[in-house]
């Protein structure tokens, strides 16, 4: 099977946070796909709860220092990297002093107010800018979790003509049971600042909870990969079926299943 470049954008990855089904999925899938022959890059947020010394994170100076505008505010991008023990996987971390150097993953701090939506958009836009600076053009962009759920919308709109990431096929993996944060209706103002309103945000159906975010992610994705045997019963999976999206039911997470994922990715590129 021909080698592909696959970008993974994950809300969380084991072992950098407490182990969860999502963290394990986002940790194991890149590894088995890479070991089967594909070229992967992996990104997650650098939450303040991550111990940089224990996990040996260090800043990638050549990727840092970009300013990203979120809701008319300049936000400086910091990129850090660490190696997953006993693997060849490196994880890049998106960081910013105001957005991520906090005491919890999604908790609201009085000093900042509820800026969860801004943090989410800064996260995946930071990934896009880092990839562009790496001059590494992905064939597939695979997003996992509600915190990365707006990335497919932005790829379909603001980045659709981008020479580095605009041609990639987008895959989304929903988790109906995940650590969630509180987003307010301010999300619609932030999206409108990027000229994303009206029909573009219709899949949200006026809502801004994690289920609505998963819905818009599926709407703008080229395919959906389910992360558990029972996932076919989840609301998000039923929504993907209603839309007629290509779906890969969970095949397992052993080396032997790597080609199931790779063949699904390839099917979207044909």
């Amino acid at each position: 099977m021909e080698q592909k470049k696959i970008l993974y954008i994950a809300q969380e990855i084991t072992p950098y946070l407490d182990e969860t089904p999502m963290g394990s999925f986002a940790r194991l899938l890149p590894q088995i796909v890479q070991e089967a022959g594909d070229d992967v890059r992996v990104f997650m947020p650098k939450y303040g709860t991550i111990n940089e010394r224990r996990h040996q994170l260090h800043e990638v100076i050549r990727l840092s220092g970009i300013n990203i505008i979120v809701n008319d505010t300049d936000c400086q991008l910091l990129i850090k990297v660490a190696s997953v023990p006993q693997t060849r996987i490196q994880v890049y971390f998106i960081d910013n002093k105001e957005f991520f150097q906090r005491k919890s993953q999604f908790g609201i701090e009085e000093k900042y107010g509820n800026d969860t939506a801004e943090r989410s958009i800064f996260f995946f836009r930071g990934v896009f800018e880092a990839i562009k600076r790496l001059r590494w053009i992905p064939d597939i962009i695979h997003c996992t979790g509600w915190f990365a759920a707006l990335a497919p919308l932005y790829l379909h709109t603001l980045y659709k003509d981008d020479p580095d990431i605009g041609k990639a096929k987008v895959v989304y993996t929903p988790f109906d049971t995940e650590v969630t944060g509180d987003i307010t209706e301010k999300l619609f103002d932030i999206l409108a600042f990027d000229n994303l309103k009206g029909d573009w945000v219709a899949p949200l159906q006026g809502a801004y909870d994690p289920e609505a975010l998963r819905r818009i992610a599926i709407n703008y994705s080229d395919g959906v990969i389910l992360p558990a045997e029972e996932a076919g019963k989840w609301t998000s999976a039923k929504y993907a079926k209603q839309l007629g999206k290509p779906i890969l039911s969970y095949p397992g997470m052993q080396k032997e299943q790597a080609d199931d994922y790779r063949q699904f990715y390839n099917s979207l590129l044909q």
Side-chain angles (χ1 to χ4, degrees):
M1 199 178 300
E2 183 181 350
Q3 185 187 66
K4 297 293 187 294
K5 292 181 178 178
I6 304 173
L7 169 61
Y8 291 96
I9 304 176
Q11 176 174 319
E12 58 188 70
I13 298 170
T14 302
Y16 301 106
L17 297 169
D18 291 342
E19 187 167 356
T20 64
M22 180 191 293
S24 297
F25 177 88
R27 148 78 178 78
L28 291 170
L29 180 55
Q31 180 181 349
I32 66 171
V33 168
Q34 182 187 68
E35 291 176 350
D38 285 329
D39 184 10
V40 310
R41 296 289 186 275
V42 185
F43 284 79
M44 70 171 284
K46 213 301 286 177
Y47 304 108
T49 53
I50 296 172
N51 188 312
E52 294 193 34
R53 181 175 296 179
R54 183 193 313 151
H55 295 295
Q56 299 180 19
L57 273 66
H58 61 271
E59 186 175 351
V60 186
I61 301 297
R62 68 189 178 97
L63 299 180
S64 297
I66 304 168
N67 274 19
I68 297 172
I69 298 176
V70 179
N71 203 26
D72 203 21
T73 301
D74 265 351
C75 309
Q76 188 175 51
L77 175 65
L78 298 175
I79 305 283
K80 297 173 182 177
V81 69
S83 297
V84 178
Q86 301 176 332
T87 75
R88 294 188 296 113
I89 295 290
Q90 285 190 316
V91 176
Y92 292 90
F93 296 84
I94 298 297
D95 200 2
N96 171 275
K97 290 181 181 178
E98 283 73 30
F99 283 154
F100 291 111
Q101 294 181 16
R102 304 183 186 183
K103 298 177 182 179
S104 66
Q105 189 173 349
F106 296 124
I108 306 302
E109 296 188 12
E110 184 176 351
K111 178 180 177 181
Y112 301 104
N114 189 329
D115 59 356
T116 307
E118 290 99 323
R119 296 172 75 209
S120 167
I121 292 168
F122 176 83
F123 164 52
F124 63 76
R125 293 195 75 169
V127 176
F128 298 159
E129 295 306 319
I131 285 298
K132 288 159 63 65
R133 187 164 285 196
L134 281 170
R135 300 187 183 279
W136 185 83
I137 300 176
D139 300 296
I140 298 287
I141 299 177
H142 186 160
C143 306
T144 299
W146 69 269
F147 200 63
L150 290 170
L153 166 64
Y154 275 72
L155 286 165
H156 193 81
T157 54
L158 271 66
Y159 289 87
K160 66 183 178 65
D161 296 320
D162 187 279
D164 295 313
I165 59 177
K167 294 181 179 179
K169 295 297 182 181
V170 185
V171 174
Y172 185 68
T173 291
F175 277 80
D176 276 20
T177 53
E178 55 180 327
V179 178
T180 59
D182 181 35
I183 289 182
T184 71
E185 62 184 3
K186 183 173 64 171
L187 171 65
F188 292 99
D189 294 330
I190 299 168
L191 293 173
F193 177 79
D194 288 328
N195 290 317
L196 297 173
K197 48 193 172 183
D199 289 345
W200 289 123
V201 298
L204 289 170
Q205 298 174 16
Y208 40 86
D209 56 10
E211 182 178 330
L213 293 174
R214 289 190 287 266
R215 193 162 55 239
I216 200 166
I218 290 168
N219 191 86
Y220 287 108
S221 293
D222 298 292
V224 173
I225 292 180
L226 300 180
E229 291 182 3
E230 68 273 16
K233 301 177 182 178
W234 293 349
T235 300
S236 49
K238 294 176 180 177
Y239 180 71
K241 291 175 184 176
Q242 289 174 4
L243 294 181
K245 296 288 181 178
I247 299 173
L248 176 65
S249 296
Y250 181 65
M253 200 58 74
Q254 303 299 316
K255 288 183 179 180
E256 296 76 19
Q257 282 97 39
D259 279 350
D260 292 327
Y261 296 98
R262 297 180 75 210
Q263 287 170 5
F264 183 76
Y265 292 146
N266 281 337
S267 71
L268 301 178
L269 294 166
Q270 293 171 359

